[in-house]
C-alpha cells in the first residue's frame, strides 16, 4: 500500500498547489496563448488540430485488438478505462466548474468549439489514459519482460518516446487552440496519472484473474455479489453527479455568468448559429452531467457477462483465428460494426432537457453497448457460424463443453 499513499499524497499536494496558484497560472496562460495565436507559422494550426483530433481515433485500437488479438479481455478493459476516464473527467469538471479561456478572455480565439467546462482538461486525461494504458494492458512487455514475449530495448524506448510526445502535444494543442489553460492541462495529467497508477497497481490483475477464473468451463460466471457492488458504485456515482449538476445550476453558476460564456461561444465559434442558455442540455454543467453517466457501461458489462453464460479460453483463440478464411474474418468485423452502428441514431435525437438527454441518450448507449459486446455479438457469431474457439464469452453446448474438457486434459498429460 506504500505506492497508494505516495500517489495519494502527491495528488493532494498538487491539488493544493493548483488552488493556491490558480490565478497565476491562468494569467500566464493568457499571455502564452495570445503569443502562440498571434505568432503562428504556416501549417501550425493544422498540425495542432491533428494532435487534438487524434484523440477520437485511438479508441478504435481497442476494437481492432478485440477482433484480432487473443487478449480480448484486455482490449475490453482498455476501452472501459477510456470510458471511465471520460466519466471521471466530466464529474471533475462539474466539481471545478471553471470556464475555458476563450469564454472570458476576449482576445483569445477558439479553434474548436467546446461548450462544457474546462477544468481539468478532458483531452489531457483521455489522451494520457489511451497512450499509457495501451501498452500497459495490451502489450505489457513494453514495460517489463513477459514469459512469452520480450521486446528489444530500442523498441521500448521508441514506444515510450512516442506516447510521451503524443500526450504532451495533445495537451499543448489545446492551449494553442484557446480551449484550455495549461493549468487545466496539467491538472488533467495529474488526475489521470493517479487513476492509471492505482488501477494498474491494485485492480487490473485482480479483475483479469477473477474474470478468467469465473469464465472457465463449469464455472457460474460473475457472482451476483460482484454485480451488486458495481451497481451500488454506479448508483452512488449517479447521485453525486446529480448533486453537482444541481449545485452548478442553482448556486455556483449564475444565469448572467453562463449567458456571457455562451455569448462568447456564439460570437467566436465558426458556424455557431444557436445562442445557448444555462438550461441547454449540450452546454456547461448539463453536458458534463450527461457524460458522467458513461459509468453505466461498467454495470452493463458485468451484467452482460452474467447473462451470456459464455466462457473465455484466451490461449486457444490465436491458433484457431489463423486457420479461418479472410472472408470469415471480414464477416466477424462487419457484425461488430453493424452492432455499434445501431447506437449512432441515439446521438441524432435532440433533447430539450438535461435529464432527458442523460437518461434517454447516454445511459441507454452505455447499457446497450455493454450488452451488445457481451451478449448479442457472441450470439450472432454463434448463429452465423462465425464463432471461434477461445472467443470472449464463447457460447458452448454440453457436448462441446465435454470436448473442451477432454482436449485440455490431453494437453496437460
Amino acid at each position: 500500500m506504500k505506492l497508494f499513499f505516495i500517489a495519494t499524497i502527491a495528488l493532494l499536494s498538487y491539488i493544493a498547489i493548483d488552488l493556491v496558484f490558480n490565478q497565476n497560472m491562468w494569467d500566464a496562460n493568457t499571455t502564452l496563448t495570445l503569443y502562440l495565436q498571434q505568432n503562428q507559422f504556416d501549417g501550425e494550426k493544422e498540425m495542432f488540430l491533428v494532435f487534438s483530433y487524434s484523440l477520437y481515433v485511438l479508441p478504435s485500437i481497442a476494437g481492432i485488438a478485440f477482433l484480432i488479438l487473443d487478449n480480448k479481455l484486455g482490449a475490453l478493459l482498455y476501452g472501459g478505462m477510456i470510458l471511465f476516464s471520460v466519466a471521471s473527467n466530466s464529474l471533475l469538471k462539474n466539481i471545478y466548474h471553471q470556464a475555458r479561456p476563450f469564454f472570458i478572455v476576449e482576445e483569445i480565439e477558439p479553434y474548436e468549439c467546446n461548450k462544457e467546462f474546462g477544468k481539468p482538461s478532458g483531452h489531457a486525461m483521455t489522451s494520457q489514459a489511451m497512450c499509457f494504458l495501451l501498452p500497459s494492458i495490451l502489450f505489457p512487455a513494453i514495460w517489463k519482460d513477459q514469459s512469452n514475449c520480450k521486446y528489444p530495448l530500442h523498441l521500448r524506448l521508441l514506444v515510450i518516446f512516442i506516447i510521451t510526445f503524443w500526450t504532451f502535444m495533445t495537451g499543448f494543442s489545446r492551449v494553442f487552440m484557446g480551449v484550455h489553460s495549461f493549468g487545466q492541462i496539467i491538472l488533467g495529467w495529474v488526475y489521470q496519472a493517479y487513476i492509471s497508477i492505482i488501477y494498474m497497481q491494485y485492480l487490473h490483475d485482480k479483475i483479469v484473474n477473477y474474470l478468467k477464473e469465473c469464465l472457465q468451463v463449469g464455472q457460474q460466471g460473475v457472482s451476483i455479489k460482484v454485480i451488486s457492488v458495481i451497481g451500488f458504485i454506479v448508483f452512488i456515482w449517479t447521485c453525486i453527479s446529480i448533486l453537482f449538476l444541481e449545485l452548478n445550476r442553482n448556486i455556483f453558476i449564475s444565469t448572467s455568468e453562463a449567458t456571457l460564456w455562451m455569448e462568447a461561444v456564439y460570437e467566436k465559434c465558426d458556424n455557431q448559429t444557436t445562442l445557448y442558455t444555462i438550461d441547454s442540455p449540450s452546454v456547461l454543467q448539463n453536458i458534463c452531467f450527461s457524460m458522467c453517466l458513461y459509468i453505466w457501461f461498467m454495470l452493463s458489462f458485468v451484467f452482460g457477462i452474467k447473462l451470456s453464460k459464455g466462457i473465455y479460453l484466451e490461449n486457444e483463440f490465436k491458433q484457431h483465428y489463423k486457420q479461418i478464411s479472410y472472408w470469415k474474418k471480414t464477416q466477424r468485423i462487419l457484425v461488430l460494426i453493424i452492432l455499434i452502428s445501431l447506437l449512432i441514431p441515439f446521438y441524432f435525437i435532440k433533447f430539450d432537457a438535461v435529464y432527458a438527454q442523460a437518461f434517454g441518450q447516454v445511459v441507454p448507449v452505455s447499457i446497450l453497448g455493454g450488452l451488445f459486446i457481451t451478449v448479442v455479438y457472441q450470439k450472432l457469431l454463434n448463429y452465423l457460424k462465425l464463432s471461434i474457439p477461445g472467443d470472449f464469452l464463447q457460447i458452448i453446448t454440453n457436448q462441446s463443453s465435454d470436448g473442451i474438457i477432454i482436449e485440455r486434459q490431453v494437453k496437460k498429460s
Side-chain angles (χ1 to χ4, degrees), residues 185-206:
I185 297 293
I186 296 173
L187 189 65
W189 284 336
V190 170
Y191 272 119
Q192 186 56 51
Y194 180 80
I195 292 171
S196 297
I197 289 171
I198 298 304
Y199 173 75
M200 292 305 304
Q201 183 68 25
Y202 299 106
L203 298 175
H204 180 70
D205 289 342
K206 292 180 181 178

Side-chain angles (χ1 to χ4, degrees), residues 67 321 328-338 377:
L67 286 167
Y321 186 76
K328 193 171 183 179
K329 292 177 182 177
T330 303
Q331 287 178 293
R332 288 168 58 87
I333 295 173
L334 290 175
V335 170
L336 184 61
I337 291 175
I338 291 172
Y377 182 57

Side-chain angles (χ1 to χ4, degrees), residues 351-364:
F351 295 94
D352 296 324
V354 58
Y355 286 108
Q357 177 167 299
F359 293 100
Q361 184 181 88
V362 176
V363 171

Side-chain angles (χ1 to χ4, degrees), residues 25-37:
M25 289 191 289
W26 183 272
D27 294 339
N29 178 83
T30 299
T31 303
L32 174 62
T33 301
L34 289 174
Y35 176 82
L36 291 173
Q37 291 191 347

Side-chain angles (χ1 to χ4, degrees), residues 210-211 214 220-230 302 306:
Y210 170 76
L211 290 176
C214 68
Q220 298 300 312
V222 178
S223 70
I224 297 298
K225 181 179 179 180
V226 170
I227 295 175
S228 300
V229 169
I230 294 176
V302 293
K306 184 69 173 179

Side-chain angles (χ1 to χ4, degrees), residues 339-351:
L339 276 179
I340 294 175
S341 66
L342 293 177
L343 301 176
I344 296 176
F346 281 94
Y347 291 99
F348 287 96
I349 303 174
K350 301 298 181 182
F351 295 94

Side-chain angles (χ1 to χ4, degrees), residues 215-242:
L215 292 177
Q216 297 298 303
V217 178
Q219 299 297 319
Q220 298 300 312
V222 178
S223 70
I224 297 298
K225 181 179 179 180
V226 170
I227 295 175
S228 300
V229 169
I230 294 176
F232 179 72
I233 293 172
V234 170
F235 172 74
I236 295 300
W237 184 283
T238 303
C239 291
I240 295 173
S241 301
I242 292 173

